[in-house]
Amino acid sequence: MANSQSDTPAKFRLSQNHHMTIPWNTFISQEKMPAKNAPLSEKASVVGRVGIIMLSCGTGAWRVRDAMNTVARVLGVTCSADIGLTSIQFTCFTEGHSYSQVLSLPNTGVNTDKLNIMEGFVANFANDFSTTTIRTIHNQIDKIEQKPSQYSPVISGLAAALACCGFIFLLGGGIPEMICSFIGAGIGNFTRSLMGKHRTTTFASIAIAVAIAGLAYMIAFKIFEANFQVLAQHEAGYIGAMLFVIPGFPFITSILDLSKLDMRSGLERLAYAIMITLIAALVGWLIALIFHFQPANFLPLGLSPLVLMLLRLPASFCGVFGFSIMFNSTTRMAMVAGGIGAIANTLRLELVDLTTLPPAAAAFLAALLAGLIASVVNRFNGYPRISLTVPSIVIMVPGLYIYRAVYNIGINQISIGALWLTKAALIIMFLPLGLFVARALLDREWRHFD
């Protein structure tokens, strides 16, 4: 008997994707007709495609809807959209007719370079495309959509290594922790990037990357311990090797979406961020149990307050710069975000050390400052605010607190775990609140609904 798979035509087998590719060019019926005069279905295809590409870049629902509305107004239609984490349901109206579509993504991620290009495309849409054809618009979107990532897995791994190396110093780690975190995070994110290229599911890629990062840290630490007489207490820095998986973008955008009453998007993003965090923390906890690591306090660095502050500036810059590169920002955009993060995060840490201000309140003020600076920078170079603000405050997300909460709950120390979880939740809530206030102060459209 012939194999059942061989009886299926090869063309049909190759097309059996769970998320099927949309043939956008098949919507075009009038090749030479200006876009403003095109049928409603063709106009809607442009509006929907702009929205789904914006959504694929990781930006929030408010920005996606704003982009869709901008394009719809130029094309002479009215758009109403319901936006989630990976899908959009929208309807376009004109002259008593309506046309609806449902679009979805196979996965979610962050691409600040493509987001910057798309925002420029939308901002100039009226001048560049209002008199062109639908096919011309789709051809231009094709070029943007097909733009490859700027960085290879090796560069992504080095970016994570740099970010986590700076991260662990800001948490109180010394040179041994920084070196081992550099090695562990670099190998871990290199692995995750390779798995991403092969479209490995999110659960598996996060779990394997964290496990490999922890294993790499352990091997590096044992080598240092055996050859350089490094104290065993430095093993506590293993947490830094896995902080590259912190879902800063969905955490921040979820609260921003909720603040604009985009409940569906906000709750879906929050659930996604919590899912990623729990996977990483649980795998890290298992690694710690296997190798008998404990999230103990770091050894004192013995630095004066002035020296510590001066070192926090470059460490914060490196952390933000590394995360920006991981988000596929251009080098220049990453440097701008790094500068903002260096100022804002150093302010936060100094407020905690030198005043009686609670960490959550200090995080709010630091995020507010980052948002204000990013708004000013946005007016000069047009970089999307979210591409500057989120990387600049992602190193303020209390990954150490979250991990300690899961670790203590895992060993049945519920009260201690709940305390760490409460501290983490307060900081996570106040970070986007600071960005919201900054945006409300300097952006009239954000302050109001219409």
Side-chain angles (χ1 to χ4, degrees):
M1 180 182 293
N3 186 286
S4 59
Q5 184 177 8
S6 63
D7 292 338
T8 305
K11 182 178 179 181
F12 180 77
R13 292 201 309 270
L14 292 175
S15 66
Q16 288 181 308
N17 295 324
H18 188 64
H19 289 264
M20 301 177 68
T21 302
I22 299 176
W24 294 104
N25 287 326
T26 61
F27 285 92
I28 303 171
S29 60
Q30 305 293 331
E31 290 284 348
K32 298 183 179 180
M33 181 178 291
K36 283 188 174 182
N37 301 327
L40 178 58
S41 60
E42 298 184 21
K43 294 179 180 179
S45 71
V46 173
V47 174
R49 195 174 183 192
V50 167
I52 202 66
I53 293 179
M54 291 284 290
L55 190 64
S56 72
C57 296
T59 192
W62 187 87
R63 179 57 63 193
V64 174
R65 183 178 290 104
D66 184 63
M68 295 175 72
N69 289 343
T70 299
V71 172
R73 291 188 186 101
V74 174
L75 296 177
V77 299
T78 300
C79 177
S80 177
D82 182 27
I83 302 166
L85 173 66
T86 59
S87 63
I88 299 175
Q89 301 174 19
F90 75 100
T91 302
C92 288
F93 305 86
T94 185
E95 298 177 352
H97 298 280
S98 63
Y99 186 86
S100 299
Q101 285 186 338
V102 178
L103 306 175
S104 64
L105 298 169
N107 203 350
T108 185
V110 180
N111 191 327
T112 52
D113 178 45
K114 188 177 291 186
L115 176 61
N116 186 37
I117 295 172
M118 282 301 299
E119 289 210 352
F121 172 86
V122 172
N124 298 316
F125 189 81
N127 295 327
D128 297 343
F129 300 103
S130 60
T131 59
T132 60
T133 64
I134 294 293
R135 182 172 295 280
T136 301
I137 297 173
H138 277 300
N139 288 341
Q140 183 61 34
I141 298 177
D142 283 339
K143 295 178 181 178
I144 298 174
E145 189 175 27
Q146 295 165 8
K147 190 176 188 297
S149 174
Q150 294 195 89
Y151 307 107
S152 66
V154 173
I155 300 299
S156 296
L158 289 173
L162 180 65
C164 291
C165 179
F167 212 145
I168 201 66
F169 173 79
L170 295 170
L171 291 173
I175 292 178
E177 291 95 336
M178 293 171 65
I179 295 175
C180 293
S181 292
F182 185 94
I183 295 171
I187 296 175
N189 199 50
F190 170 75
T191 303
R192 184 173 69 156
S193 297
L194 285 180
M195 297 179 75
K197 283 185 172 294
H198 291 87
R199 301 187 179 185
T200 306
T201 186
T202 302
F203 266 58
S205 61
I206 293 295
I208 294 173
V210 169
I212 289 178
L215 180 63
Y217 185 99
M218 184 274 295
I219 294 173
F221 176 75
K222 293 300 182 183
I223 293 174
F224 276 98
E225 188 179 31
N227 294 279
F228 301 98
Q229 289 73 51
V230 174
L231 297 176
Q233 290 90 331
H234 289 292
E235 70 179 23
Y238 74 94
I239 300 170
M242 60 185 72
L243 292 178
F244 63 91
V245 299
I246 289 177
F249 246 87
F251 259 136
I252 303 302
T253 54
S254 68
I255 307 300
L256 292 176
D257 279 348
L258 290 173
S259 71
K260 298 294 290 184
L261 298 185
D262 277 309
M263 305 302 289
R264 176 190 167 197
S265 176
L267 292 174
E268 288 182 11
R269 289 173 184 276
L270 184 59
Y272 173 79
I274 293 174
M275 177 191 73
I276 297 298
T277 304
L278 286 178
I279 293 171
L282 289 172
V283 172
W285 173 62
L286 292 174
I287 294 295
L289 291 181
I290 293 172
F291 297 111
H292 305 290
F293 284 174
Q294 293 182 352
N297 293 327
F298 296 106
L299 294 176
L301 296 176
L303 301 174
S304 68
L306 178 61
V307 172
L308 186 59
M309 183 194 71
L310 294 176
L311 290 176
R312 280 170 171 172
L313 287 167
S316 297
F317 176 88
C318 290
V320 175
F321 181 84
F323 275 110
S324 295
I325 296 298
M326 290 167 60
F327 296 151
N328 200 44
S329 296
T330 62
T331 304
R332 184 178 177 185
M333 192 188 301
M335 292 182 68
V336 173
I340 297 173
I343 296 171
N345 190 54
T346 302
L347 171 66
R348 176 183 69 92
L349 295 172
E350 293 301 308
L351 287 174
V352 172
D353 286 352
L354 304 179
T355 71
T356 59
L357 205 63
F364 169 79
L365 293 176
L368 174 62
L369 177 62
L372 293 174
I373 297 175
S375 294
V376 174
V377 172
N378 171 262
R379 295 182 181 181
F380 283 96
N381 58 23
Y383 289 152
R385 291 181 184 87
I386 197 170
S387 299
L388 302 177
T389 54
V390 174
S392 67
I393 69 172
V394 71
I395 59 172
M396 304 180 197
V397 175
L400 176 61
Y401 290 9
I402 296 172
Y403 176 75
R404 284 183 171 178
V406 173
Y407 180 90
N408 283 285
I409 292 172
I411 59 175
N412 291 326
Q413 294 182 353
I414 307 300
S415 59
I416 298 176
L419 177 62
W420 284 113
L421 195 60
T422 302
K423 291 180 178 180
L426 282 173
I427 295 175
I428 290 173
M429 288 189 292
F430 272 102
L431 285 174
L433 184 60
L435 296 184
F436 175 86
V437 172
R439 189 71 180 271
L441 289 174
L442 298 180
D443 189 340
R444 185 180 181 278
E445 292 185 2
W446 184 264
R447 287 198 298 269
H448 302 280
F449 69 89
D450 53 32

